Amino acid sequence: MNPLHHLGGLGFLFFWILAATGMYLFIRFDTSLGGAYDSIEALTREEWWLGGFLRSIHRYATGGFVAVTLGHLVKELADGHFRHFRTFSWVSGMPLPWLLFPSALVGYWLIWDARSQFSALATAEWFDALGLLSEPMARNFVPGGAMNDRVFSLFVFLHLGLPLALLAGMWVHVRRLGYPRNFPPAPLAWGTLALVAAAAVAMPARSHAPADPAQLPAALELDWLVMFMHPLQYATSPGFVWLLFGGATLVLTILPWLTRRPAPAAAVVNLENCNGCGRCVADCPFAAVTLVPAANKAGRQVQVFPELCAGCGICAGACPSATPFRSAQTLVSGIDLPRLTVNELRTKLEAFLSRLPGENKPVIVRCECASAPSDSAAATLALPCIGMLPPSFVEYALRHGAARVVLEQCAPGECAYRLGTELTEARMAGTREPHLRASVPRERVELRS
């Protein structure tokens, strides 16, 4: 339930909250320049129990959406989740803040109060700094300007069109992920909705005085999550803000190539041992494995896209032919990892089992990304991801002398390869294929984070 593990899912949740509340607000909204402010005020004051409540939820959901989006960006950056197989998701996410912030700003403009006027004027001056138009945009928002119903209709169009473009971008952003977390767990979702509702009740959204081009307000209450760029612009310059945001976006976009590291070795398919069952396809965290028509026989075969492969080995752990009980001298599975093949895994395990120190010593199989094993005297087998371990290896170890088997994995929600921890838990519980057989005593198998 840690929100930091579900920032992306929370972003989708806030989007749908905004869509649901926005539909009702739009139905009651007067889209004319002269009637917009009065229609919002009527919702807020005369229908406070529904219209005003939904307006406040809409406002706080906007702040939540911005907060989790920026948090998601910072967390993925800090975790180094932008290279190789994550490059597509990283680069496709860069335009999303450029769609989110304008969507939020234009939403404020539709109220057309003093704060809206200030924000629209500041944004126009920001764009005027580029010198792309023959006439400054800012002239529309000063006395004698061209602000009219047509300009306001443009605001309405932007507030509908930009979120649709944002949703399309969010879909592209998660397109190459297996089992993307597009929604947080139910308790976290309900808790988030309750928090937004509580904020809406405790601090209802209120408008400023109606917009008046003839005068500027002496003081404004800004939404700092959405409008922080306006004070920054006036404290520095519009050009500086363009350079700051544009430069940051450019650097972040090319970051995967600026910090290039050797790509992980991609999984390899052994067609003679692959029956096209598709378990590796179902379990791949990054959609790097797919099924295609078999070349030399009827049915299907597996194909790996090397540029998308994380080298985690989860696919090898899902392969039904990756069992150490096979009598083949050299164990070859349908899909394997070059850096640590299933045959090498069995050889290492047998070597550990042959020299177990004393009685009641466990075999520890640990993820390379997890913490160090708690019992350093025990036999320890390190894997790129705990999800690489086929459940049959646990039974094999117990049958050949191990008192118990300890699987040391990443903490819940912190798997370096997204799905390794939960897939392993499901396989050991017998709810996902390949599963640990029911005859294996569960008291001799320990999952440790």
Side-chain angles (χ1 to χ4, degrees), residues 429-442:
T431 59
R432 191 176 187 87
E433 296 292 342
H435 65 267
L436 187 63
R437 295 201 298 182
S439 58
V440 178
R442 293 308 194 268

Side-chain angles (χ1 to χ4, degrees), residues 251-290:
V251 171
L252 290 174
T253 301
I254 64 176
L255 190 60
W257 294 274
L258 292 178
T259 59
R260 203 67 177 171
R261 294 180 182 176
V268 177
V269 179
N270 302 301
L271 294 179
E272 294 181 357
N273 293 274
C274 177
N275 64 5
C277 68
R279 290 178 184 172
C280 55
V281 178
D283 286 3
C284 180
F286 301 101
V289 188
T290 189

Side-chain angles (χ1 to χ4, degrees), residues 363-376 380-383 385-387 389 405-411 421 424 446-449:
V363 168
I364 295 181
V365 184
R366 62 179 295 264
C367 173
E368 292 177 349
C369 303
S371 58
S374 56
D375 188 350
S376 59
T380 303
L381 187 62
L383 303 179
C385 176
I386 198 65
L389 184 72
V405 176
V406 178
L407 306 182
E408 295 211 338
Q409 56 189 7
C410 296
T421 300
T424 299
E446 179 185 353
L447 291 170
R448 182 185 300 166
S449 299

